[in-house]
Amino acid sequence: MAALLLTACTTSQPPAPSPAAKPAPPAREAEPDVPDGRDLDATSAPVKQTAEPEVRPARMGPPLTHEDAQAARQLIRAHGFAPQDVGFLVTDLPGRELAAHNARQAFIPASVAKLPTAVAALELLGGDHRFDTRMTATAQPRAGRLDGDLWLVGGGDPLLGADGLVHLCRDLHRAGVRQVIGDFYYDTTLYQERRAIRDDQPMTAGYNPGVSALSINFNRLPVRWGTGAPSDPEAWTLPSVPSVSLSLRRRSPQGQESGDWLPDGNGWQLSTGARGYGQDSLPLKHPAQVAAEATRQVCQRMGVKLPAPEPGTAPSEARALAEHPSPPLHEAVRSMLRYSNNLVAELIGLAAGRQLTGQPLGSSQSAIAVGQWYARTLPQTDWARFDPGNHSGLNAAGRVTPAELAAILRFAHDRRYGQAQRTLMELLPTVGLDGGLGRRLQTPDTAFAVFAKTGTMNFVSGLAGYLPTQTGRARMFAIFVNDKPLRRAYDANPRAAVWGRQAGDWRNRAKDLEAALVRLWTDPTRRREAVPTAMLQRSE
């Protein structure tokens, strides 16, 4: 999620945002569960169409009527929700409210909070902004030797991968370096480091890795294991790095083999069956060290010998010997919105916060800075309840109102970012050829009629974005569905067996309701259609 409070400073060392300026947050709620590190509706593969249906344009008529408001209330009841569980707002571009229900009530936004992060980053940094990862030194190579130290300086690249490491090592080789005689350091001082996005989330969860200015492969390390015989257990990471140790704990196989990663001192222990093979991703808690160790291995393959890496700050007089720029920011934003990657959102948000303050802030303070920027930029909107808590939405204590989300969407509607002139609507997941929004609204009459970001936690759901009209100007909408009593009960005992089925039923009904509301707003005649009978009863 994104966040609130702070003013931009023009001095070289501006003060950090004051937590005292932040509105008092509501009663704290425990963390969500996000099964695979991204929103449940984030697109993973194209949806296959089995026929060639007729495509009809979505109909957007005049401002919605009292009858439509009644229909929305009926939909809320029919899907088993209390009125206070739901909030929504639909506006046109001038800001006229076309449909509203609890529009200024604060809700847990989940991954919908990535929308404020995206817009703030694009506005503050520009769509063509690139994050540079550099190799710097104070000495110049002579006869293949660098008689001095080398620094790997993290630039906050959210998409850094193996290709970037190859780029750096090849440039280092082209600069004449074959061996570093001094020390090899990695510098992460651009941002405050964290061992996890949220300390109160499971440390083993892939969606909750460490956060660092030097991050690689979304801070997930591929892991493979094979236990072909009880006497021959084996597990390994790709690449194999000294700072990550693995051990196997065998258990009796039950059904399909799988791995359960558990922290074990400074390493990780894999719990798996006596026989079987598998793979997983290990969330890195010290990602910069792993990135530096991987860089050392890549450079070795490229003919450049580096010492073992250590943490250290590059001196101001150091000059770049190699540099790898990231893709433009608008590409990272599209990836973040489409796949709902928490780490990408946090790194993009931290860059926006640093742009505002000039300081290496943590996620919460950076989110405060971005939130106050919204308050200054859009003063006609009441931002008193805007408190997402971080940049990714991995925070069940965060709060946003439908009115605040709609204001951000109106602000961004006509903005174009970078030389590619990308609009926010282009960067959002789309119902249409690529599936978008999971399985919802996958019918011909809604194809290309909804461009939106989803959000999902147990007993929390959201959907916000644009509904195009035939006038060429979209309508903005934001929907939140929260059952806070159920959420509190879940938080009190998250391991209870009852939650799996109950949370799944609740999630299905919430997403069915969101789809039904969108259909109501895109084609008012659909309000007379029957609600899916399988989702009518409230789960107990």
Side-chain angles (χ1 to χ4, degrees):
M1 311 174 184
L4 177 61
L5 297 106
L6 186 60
T7 54
C9 300
T10 57
T11 60
S12 60
Q13 292 184 333
S18 171
K22 180 179 178 180
R28 180 177 178 78
E29 295 185 275
E31 280 302 317
D33 56 5
V34 184
D36 62 359
R38 57 184 183 139
D39 189 7
L40 292 174
D41 286 324
T43 303
S44 58
V47 175
K48 183 177 180 180
Q49 283 193 320
T50 58
E52 285 190 19
E54 177 187 0
V55 178
R56 295 170 292 164
R59 293 193 292 161
M60 293 295 287
L64 301 174
T65 65
H66 177 69
E67 184 181 358
D68 296 314
Q70 282 186 322
R73 289 191 292 270
Q74 290 170 0
L75 286 171
I76 292 171
R77 289 194 299 270
H79 285 79
F81 294 102
Q84 66 270 20
D85 292 343
V86 181
F88 61 74
L89 179 63
V90 185
T91 78
D92 61 10
L93 193 56
R96 290 187 295 261
E97 294 189 359
L98 309 180
H101 177 79
N102 293 329
R104 287 160 185 81
Q105 177 177 319
F107 291 87
I108 306 168
S111 284
V112 174
K114 292 180 172 72
L115 272 172
T117 300
V119 173
L122 289 167
E123 288 289 327
L124 292 166
L125 301 171
D128 290 327
H129 176 81
R130 295 176 186 265
F131 303 89
D132 290 328
T133 307
R134 295 174 294 131
M135 293 273 211
T136 68
T138 55
Q140 288 296 319
R142 298 181 185 279
R145 293 164 50 102
L146 182 67
D147 291 313
D149 299 329
L150 181 71
W151 286 267
L152 173 62
V153 182
D157 183 353
L159 304 180
L160 183 65
D163 60 329
L165 303 189
V166 170
H167 187 163
L168 286 167
C169 292
R170 286 177 66 89
D171 274 6
L172 198 61
H173 190 278
R174 289 190 184 107
V177 179
R178 303 294 182 270
Q179 183 178 10
V180 173
I181 304 304
D183 292 320
F184 175 39
Y185 296 103
Y186 55 94
D187 182 340
T188 64
T189 55
L190 187 68
Y191 307 140
Q192 292 181 17
E193 287 192 282
R194 290 187 61 85
R195 63 192 296 265
I197 294 174
R198 294 287 300 182
D199 290 339
D200 48 4
Q201 276 286 311
M203 288 291 109
T204 57
Y207 58 82
N208 191 33
V211 180
S212 171
L214 182 58
S215 295
I216 185 171
N217 196 37
F218 309 110
N219 289 347
R220 298 183 191 179
L221 189 65
V223 181
R224 306 288 187 271
W225 63 85
T227 54
S231 62
D232 186 28
E234 186 178 7
W236 61 93
T237 65
L238 291 173
S240 177
V241 289
S243 61
V244 177
S245 63
L246 302 176
S247 62
L248 280 178
R249 183 184 69 185
R250 293 193 300 275
R251 56 173 170 74
S252 298
Q254 295 178 352
Q256 184 178 0
E257 293 295 342
S258 62
D260 177 25
W261 286 105
L262 303 172
D264 180 25
N266 293 324
W268 294 82
Q269 184 178 73
L270 171 65
S271 175
T272 186
R275 289 179 175 84
Y277 299 88
Q279 59 186 19
D280 209 333
S281 290
L282 185 67
L284 297 174
K285 302 308 173 186
H286 305 286
Q289 183 174 0
V290 173
E293 290 171 345
T295 303
R296 184 190 185 206
Q297 290 190 33
V298 172
C299 284
Q300 180 76 23
R301 298 283 187 182
M302 300 290 167
V304 179
K305 185 177 180 180
L306 302 179
E310 304 174 34
T313 302
S316 58
E317 66 271 19
R319 295 293 177 263
L321 296 178
E323 190 168 1
H324 173 69
S326 73
L329 176 61
H330 67 79
E331 292 187 19
V333 167
R334 184 178 185 276
S335 175
M336 181 262 289
L337 293 175
R338 182 175 176 80
Y339 298 103
S340 206
N341 186 282
N342 292 331
L343 178 67
V344 175
E346 293 297 336
L347 291 175
I348 289 173
L350 287 170
R354 176 146 191 141
Q355 181 71 15
L356 284 166
T357 68
Q359 291 196 347
L361 304 177
S363 288
S364 59
Q365 284 190 317
S366 175
I368 289 171
V370 169
Q372 192 165 1
W373 175 79
Y374 274 119
R376 294 193 308 273
T377 304
L378 303 173
Q380 68 276 21
T381 299
D382 180 4
W383 296 94
R385 296 173 180 82
F386 187 80
D387 184 21
N390 63 14
H391 296 295
S392 63
L394 189 60
N395 186 345
R399 295 294 185 272
V400 176
T401 72
E404 291 160 346
L405 254 296
I408 292 171
L409 290 165
R410 285 196 306 275
F411 170 72
H413 180 276
D414 289 329
R415 313 287 283 186
R416 294 183 176 272
Y417 300 109
Q419 291 185 357
Q421 296 288 286
R422 295 295 190 187
T423 65
L424 181 62
M425 193 164 78
E426 293 174 59
L427 302 177
L428 282 166
T430 308
V431 173
L433 289 174
D434 59 1
L437 310 193
R439 298 176 180 175
R440 282 181 288 177
L441 300 164
Q442 297 297 332
T443 53
D445 57 324
T446 53
F448 309 113
V450 186
F451 297 73
K453 180 72 191 79
T454 61
T456 307
M457 300 177 183
N458 276 349
F459 310 112
V460 173
S461 188
L463 185 67
Y466 295 107
L467 305 173
T469 72
Q470 294 180 2
T471 67
R473 291 200 160 190
R475 289 177 174 178
M476 283 52 64
F477 78 98
I479 309 170
F480 292 121
V481 186
N482 289 182
D483 193 319
K484 290 173 183 162
L486 270 178
R487 180 71 208 187
R488 285 192 291 269
Y490 169 81
D491 293 338
N493 187 14
R495 296 185 179 274
V498 67
W499 296 126
R501 182 172 182 178
Q502 188 171 13
D505 171 76
W506 188 98
R507 181 172 59 246
N508 289 336
R509 289 186 291 110
K511 294 185 182 304
D512 278 354
L513 172 59
E514 292 163 1
L517 289 170
V518 168
R519 288 186 181 278
L520 175 67
W521 299 329
T522 55
D523 188 350
T525 62
R526 287 190 169 270
R527 64 177 177 269
R528 299 184 181 90
E529 290 188 356
V531 177
T533 56
M535 300 299 171
L536 289 179
Q537 298 300 318
R538 187 180 184 82
S539 178
E540 296 299 334

